[in-house]
Amino acid sequence: MNPEYTLVTTDYMNISTLGIGFSLFFYPTFGDLDNDGDEDMVLGEYSGYCYYFENTGGAGNAAIFSTNIILNDYLAAPLVTPTNAGIHIAPSLVDLDRDGDLDLAVGRRNGHINYYENIGTPASYSFIYLTNNLGGINVCEYWTIEGYAVPQFVDINGEYNLVVGSKTGWLYLYDDIEGNISTNFHLVDSTLDNIQNGTYSAPAIYDLNNDGRYEMVVGNARGGLALYKSADSSVIGTMDLEIASDIRIYPNPAKNNITVEIENGQTDSALQMTITVHEMSGRLIQELQSNEPKVIFNTAEWKRGTYLFRIKTEKGIVSKKVILI
């Protein structure tokens, strides 16, 4: 399967003529909300509302979105509004609680994500607001309250991973999501694969050509799309287990020094390291490359807290948290 794309229109479904939204800032997400075999559309817009477009085209046919309504919650009130979510929202339909119907995660201007559980049925949605801080996610830089979170959930071997776009353009990767909706997700990486094509990144991830590997399309504020191809979807985001087990970061907790070491002592090209260190806010602290099996960081001037060490070799990437006391 080799997909090809031809420009059909620059105004999909004539959305610009519908009189919705502010300045035509839209984020779409798709899913079958009425269990009729075709994918409906939920459109987030700059002012803070979500609009529901029912697809009446039928399974296997071209989509037909002939009507739209403001998406309401189970109390018939607008699901997302400027007052309860802020502006510039980015919705994502996903069965986050694995109960067979689609829930809704909504990225927000403040860098957080709202979560609305679907308490209805696969054929009749009914959303209830649960939290404005899903997973403890915050993609703001430490000096600002604007993050512009754009969430994209990916199911890898039955476990969700989450990639979040941000105002800075960096992509954040989270795991430890399954059965963990009420507590914090684990931040794996705040600069995923060092991808940064422009500010206001917006990722979309799917196996476009059915080859068992995910593709990722990333939009940004200046226009254009970047296309990335992953490793096999069964190992995306992981490192060769033998190499990962050989990488040690110690002591943890640490005080004045932190050591990153490849324990087997090899220095061949496959084990040359690129090490980046970030605060949990995402701010880059240090980045270096090394051909040596051991690297020592002087942390005496670093402030106390948790740091994310990301070690990349030709065999993959591993990320580990270190606490500085």
Side-chain angles (χ1 to χ4, degrees):
M1 179 180 178
N2 295 302
E4 296 183 6
Y5 299 93
T6 301
L7 178 63
V8 176
T9 178
T10 57
D11 189 11
Y12 184 58
M13 296 295 170
N14 297 312
I15 288 174
S16 71
T17 68
L18 299 180
I20 63 175
F22 174 81
S23 297
L24 302 180
F25 283 84
F26 296 116
Y27 280 98
T29 183
F30 297 88
D32 188 0
L33 280 174
D34 52 10
N35 202 33
D36 64 353
D38 55 30
E39 292 203 334
D40 309 298
M41 178 170 68
V42 171
L43 196 66
E45 56 87 31
Y46 185 89
S47 297
Y49 292 96
C50 280
Y51 290 86
Y52 170 55
F53 291 73
E54 182 184 356
N55 183 358
T56 58
N61 298 320
I64 299 175
F65 299 114
S66 56
T67 60
N68 70 87
I69 59 172
I70 291 179
L71 192 63
N72 288 335
D73 64 16
Y74 75 110
L75 296 174
L79 184 71
V80 187
T81 69
T83 56
N84 68 20
I87 60 176
H88 211 291
I89 63 171
S92 178
L93 287 167
V94 57
D95 184 9
L96 198 56
D97 55 8
R98 303 286 192 181
D99 66 350
D101 53 32
L102 292 173
D103 310 300
L104 190 65
V106 180
R108 302 164 56 197
R109 182 185 184 183
N110 68 358
H112 299 280
I113 297 176
N114 278 25
Y115 174 57
Y116 302 82
E117 182 185 352
N118 188 348
I119 57 174
T121 67
S124 180
Y125 67 83
S126 180
F127 292 108
I128 183 171
Y129 165 80
L130 290 187
T131 180
N132 62 3
N133 191 26
L134 178 66
I137 291 164
N138 184 358
V139 297
C140 293
E141 296 282 2
Y142 73 96
W143 62 82
T144 180
I145 60 172
E146 291 189 343
Y148 290 86
V150 180
Q152 178 74 182
F153 289 88
V154 187
D155 189 324
I156 301 173
N157 292 332
E159 293 192 2
Y160 283 123
N161 284 241
L162 172 61
V163 177
V164 186
S166 68
K167 180 180 180 179
T168 63
W170 293 112
L171 299 174
Y172 290 65
L173 175 64
Y174 295 85
D175 64 9
D176 193 21
I177 295 170
E178 294 294 325
N180 196 27
I181 297 174
S182 61
T183 56
N184 289 351
F185 301 160
H186 170 228
L187 175 62
V188 177
D189 200 340
S190 58
T191 57
L192 179 60
D193 285 335
N194 289 320
I195 294 171
Q196 214 277 18
N197 298 303
T199 57
Y200 298 90
S201 54
I205 302 171
Y206 194 75
D207 183 1
L208 292 173
N209 55 6
N210 199 32
D211 66 348
R213 300 169 184 263
Y214 284 110
E215 283 74 42
M216 179 170 67
V217 178
V218 184
N220 63 80
R222 67 186 179 191
L225 298 170
L227 175 64
Y228 297 87
K229 186 177 183 65
S230 81
D232 190 283
S233 61
S234 64
V235 297
I236 184 173
T238 66
M239 173 179 276
D240 179 276
L241 292 180
E242 180 180 353
I243 303 302
S245 64
D246 284 339
I247 293 178
R248 292 182 62 222
I249 302 178
Y250 61 89
N252 190 12
K255 187 174 183 181
N256 295 320
N257 294 284
I258 297 174
T259 299
V260 178
E261 180 180 7
I262 298 180
E263 286 193 304
N264 59 20
Q266 296 184 45
T267 57
D268 61 76
S269 61
L271 295 182
Q272 292 178 3
M273 296 185 289
T274 298
I275 306 172
T276 56
V277 184
H278 290 81
E279 291 181 340
M280 295 308 291
S281 67
R283 186 167 74 95
L284 178 65
I285 300 299
Q286 192 168 345
E287 180 173 1
L288 60 83
Q289 294 183 334
S290 176
N291 297 324
E292 299 299 323
K294 180 186 293 188
V295 178
I296 299 175
F297 291 83
N298 183 347
T299 60
E301 300 300 321
W302 295 11
K303 65 182 182 181
R304 290 178 294 177
T306 302
Y307 291 83
L308 184 69
F309 279 71
R310 179 175 181 267
I311 302 95
K312 181 178 182 181
T313 77
E314 291 184 3
K315 292 188 178 294
I317 300 170
V318 65
S319 298
K320 295 186 178 182
K321 291 180 181 179
V322 178
I323 298 173
L324 194 62
I325 58 176

